[in-house]
């Protein structure tokens, strides 16, 4: 269906502010509500007023949130970084190493978090390569990924990681790094591949379940 208009806004539900993307579509007969990646996604006929759409959103929100069973990792008020809930109201976040990042919106925040996560994964890759006996040098990329938390390209010798990993604790991030490095030995997802993964990360499936649920611990 052809998109007529898109509106981005926020809605307060039980004290938590959620982003909303409302898409008006030509030929759309009903209003559709989804909750994905900590955002309410709504598609609606163009003639339906926003007040009506929000009225039903408030009604459906509890069911949508329960269905996804994924807690918000980033809102207007707080963000989880390395598994810890951090207040965003001061527009400043300081870390244990003494470094700080400053921001006035989420775009700037995630630009800086991209660099922060890159440094963390760079250290993990270097350490784990030695532990796993890998001599190869890899390029490391941090980017937004829709369905994957990591990928490995043999052709370009590149390890790519989802920026959203920055929300999770080091053990979870390390499990993803081990997963991708294990593809150096076994490229598919056979039992031999997971033998390698579990050798260096015995709790891998526990951490994988955390990522699937979108939970923090």
């Amino acid at each position: 269906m052809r998109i007529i208009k898109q509106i981005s806004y926020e809605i307060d539900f039980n004290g938590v502010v959620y982003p909303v993307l409302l898409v008006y579509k030509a030929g759309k007969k009903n209003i559709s509500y989804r909750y994905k990646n900590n955002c309410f996604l709504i598609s609606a006929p163009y003639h339906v007023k926003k007040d009506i759409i929000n009225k039903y959103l408030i009604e459906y929100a509890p069911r949508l949130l329960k269905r996804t069973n994924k807690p918000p990792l980033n809102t207007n008020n707080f963000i989880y970084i390395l598994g810890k809930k951090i207040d965003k109201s001061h527009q400043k976040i300081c870390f244990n190493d003494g470094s700080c990042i400053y921001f006035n919106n989420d775009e700037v925040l995630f630009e800086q978090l991209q660099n922060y996560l890159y440094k963390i994964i760079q250290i993990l890759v270097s350490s784990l390569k030695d532990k796993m006996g890998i001599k190869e040098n890899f390029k490391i990329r941090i980017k937004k990924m829709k369905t994957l938390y990591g990928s490995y390209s043999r052709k370009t010798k590149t390890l790519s990681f989802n920026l959203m990993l920055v929300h999770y604790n080091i053990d979870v991030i390390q499990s993803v790094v081990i997963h991708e490095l294990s593809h150096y030995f076994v490229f598919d997802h056979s039992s031999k591949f997971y033998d390698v993964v579990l050798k260096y990360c015995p709790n891998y499936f526990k951490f994988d379940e955390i990522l699937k649920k979108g939970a923090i611990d």
Side-chain angles (χ1 to χ4, degrees):
M1 293 181 183
R2 181 170 59 89
I3 295 175
I4 300 174
K5 186 178 182 180
Q6 292 189 100
I7 304 174
S8 296
Y9 59 99
E10 295 173 337
I11 191 165
D12 189 312
F13 181 72
N14 288 342
V16 178
V17 178
Y18 295 91
V20 179
L21 176 62
L22 170 58
V23 180
Y24 286 108
K25 295 183 177 180
K28 181 77 174 175
K29 295 181 179 180
N30 302 306
I31 308 172
S32 301
Y33 295 88
R34 289 190 300 147
Y35 181 70
K36 186 177 180 181
N37 296 329
N38 303 321
C39 179
F40 287 108
L41 305 174
I42 307 169
S43 59
Y46 189 63
H47 65 270
V48 181
K49 293 182 179 180
K50 184 178 170 184
D51 289 346
I52 299 297
I53 291 171
N54 284 341
K55 175 185 175 182
Y56 288 108
L57 174 57
I58 294 297
E59 180 181 336
Y60 296 146
R63 278 177 280 174
L64 292 169
L65 292 170
K66 184 177 181 181
R67 188 182 304 163
T68 59
N69 198 30
K70 291 186 177 182
L73 302 179
N74 177 42
T75 73
N76 273 11
N77 304 316
F78 65 84
I79 184 172
Y80 281 94
I81 298 178
L82 300 188
K84 295 182 179 180
K85 189 175 182 180
I86 297 175
D87 182 7
K88 290 170 62 178
S89 63
H90 302 296
Q91 298 184 337
K92 172 184 175 182
I93 297 173
C94 293
F95 303 103
N96 291 335
D97 62 4
S99 64
C100 297
I101 59 177
Y102 302 85
F103 58 94
N104 53 18
N105 57 55
D106 271 4
E107 183 178 355
V108 174
L109 172 60
F110 277 96
E111 283 178 1
Q112 298 194 63
L113 287 177
Q114 187 169 8
N115 295 328
Y116 180 66
L117 181 62
Y118 177 87
K119 293 175 183 177
I120 290 172
I121 288 183
Q122 192 176 40
I123 292 170
L124 287 172
V125 168
S126 177
S127 173
L128 288 165
K129 273 177 49 184
D130 290 343
K131 186 176 181 180
M132 298 170 75
I134 298 173
K135 303 299 183 182
E136 189 72 79
N137 290 320
F138 301 103
K139 300 174 186 175
I140 298 173
R141 295 178 62 196
I142 308 297
K143 60 182 183 178
K144 291 183 179 179
M145 303 167 77
K146 289 185 177 180
T147 58
L148 300 174
Y149 281 100
S151 65
Y152 167 52
S153 170
R154 273 183 173 177
K155 183 178 180 180
T156 63
K157 300 177 182 178
T158 300
L159 299 169
S160 299
F161 297 94
N162 194 326
L163 176 57
M164 294 302 101
L165 284 173
V166 78
H167 295 304
Y168 297 90
N169 65 45
I170 289 293
D171 289 339
V172 174
I173 298 172
Q174 179 171 276
S175 73
V176 178
V177 175
I178 289 172
H179 179 114
E180 300 312 325
L181 287 174
S182 295
H183 280 307
Y184 175 81
F185 301 104
V186 184
F187 199 62
D188 58 25
H189 288 95
S190 63
S191 60
K192 289 183 179 179
F193 168 76
Y194 284 106
D195 286 343
V196 178
V197 173
L198 293 171
K199 177 180 178 180
Y200 297 102
C201 185
N203 292 322
Y204 172 79
F205 290 113
K206 171 188 172 183
F207 300 134
D208 187 53
E209 189 65 20
I210 288 173
L211 288 171
K212 286 178 179 177
K213 289 183 176 180
I216 292 299
D217 47 30

